[in-house]
Amino acid sequence: ARTGELSTLEFREERAATGGLVVDSRRRSYLAADPNAENAVERSVDAAGRTFSALLDSGDSVGLAALCADDRWLRPGSGTTHKARAQRLLAVDPAFAPTPATDGSTYVTGKVRQLQRRLPRDAQLIFFSPLCDDAVARAIRRLDAAGHLVTVVSPDPTARDTPGRGLAWIERRLRLSDLRSAGVRVVEWGDEPLAAAVTRAEKRW
């Protein structure tokens, strides 16, 4: 919205839906291909904020969660007060900060189980993550297998200028492929505007 570009996503049904946005803000997700570039969590938080507002404006009921060591959860709701709560969380809460908030580890499986208990059974999810490890990819597949239609928005923090970074690039590509093979919608987001990445991804869906 700030740039005037269409850069949001829609839930899969035409009628008003209930859903949630999940930002992977674990310490290991604070990655960037260049030290001077925004890291993957910063990009995810920005995209989640714009998507949250757009979905509320279209009549959907939307919640917000962070996948991190701390517990951050805003249950699905609607209206201007709900939008203001989400905007404040994204702007000032340490779970969505530009740098990691704590040294605590995140037990991904436990966090996903907690999220499933909180969400309505038919809730749809938009999951923002750089997909930097297998644990988060398994968590996404688990949510989708449980009946939550999941769309993944994955900002790419990888580079291929060293053998180690090249290996990380390959591993991430395999996770993307595995999710697509499992039927999960994936938006691979490189250097281009999110709107362009969504348009490219829609050709696969």
Side-chain angles (χ1 to χ4, degrees), residues 124-145:
Q124 302 180 42
L125 294 173
I126 300 175
F127 205 113
F128 300 86
S129 173
L131 297 175
C132 58
D133 62 356
D134 292 335
V136 71
R138 286 195 298 268
I140 291 166
R141 289 197 300 270
R142 178 190 179 104
L143 289 165
D144 193 70

Side-chain angles (χ1 to χ4, degrees), residues 18-22 63 73 76 112 114-125 143 148:
T18 298
L21 309 185
V22 183
W73 165 249
V112 169
Q114 185 180 56
L115 182 62
Q116 285 182 277
R117 289 194 295 270
R118 288 168 163 170
L119 285 167
R121 292 181 63 87
D122 62 345
Q124 302 180 42
L125 294 173
L143 289 165
H148 298 291

Side-chain angles (χ1 to χ4, degrees), residues 23-93:
V23 176
D24 179 3
S25 58
R26 297 171 299 154
R27 172 172 288 274
R28 65 178 55 198
S29 297
Y30 283 82
L31 301 169
D34 185 302
N36 297 317
E38 283 188 314
N39 62 57
V41 175
E42 289 179 285
R43 298 180 69 192
S44 293
V45 168
D46 180 65
R50 287 181 278 146
T51 302
F52 193 100
S53 295
L55 290 171
L56 283 190
D57 291 345
S58 68
D60 295 314
S61 176
V62 191
L64 177 66
L67 183 67
C68 63
D70 298 324
D71 184 27
R72 293 297 184 274
W73 165 249
L74 178 65
R75 67 181 183 181
S78 58
T80 55
T81 299
H82 187 66
K83 181 188 289 189
R85 287 197 188 102
Q87 290 173 336
R88 179 170 176 79
L89 272 176
L90 291 168
V92 304
D93 194 286

Side-chain angles (χ1 to χ4, degrees), residues 136-194:
V136 71
R138 286 195 298 268
I140 291 166
R141 289 197 300 270
R142 178 190 179 104
L143 289 165
D144 193 70
H148 298 291
L149 298 175
V150 183
T151 299
V152 177
V153 177
S154 186
D156 185 4
T158 61
R160 288 177 280 176
D161 53 345
T162 68
R165 297 180 82 177
L167 177 61
W169 178 85
I170 292 170
E171 291 174 340
R172 179 177 175 275
R173 297 289 302 178
L174 290 173
R175 293 184 197 107
L176 291 166
S177 179
D178 288 346
L179 287 173
R180 290 185 177 116
S181 295
V184 177
R185 299 200 310 186
V186 177
V187 178
E188 186 176 1
W189 183 17
D191 295 331
E192 77 273 44
L194 180 55

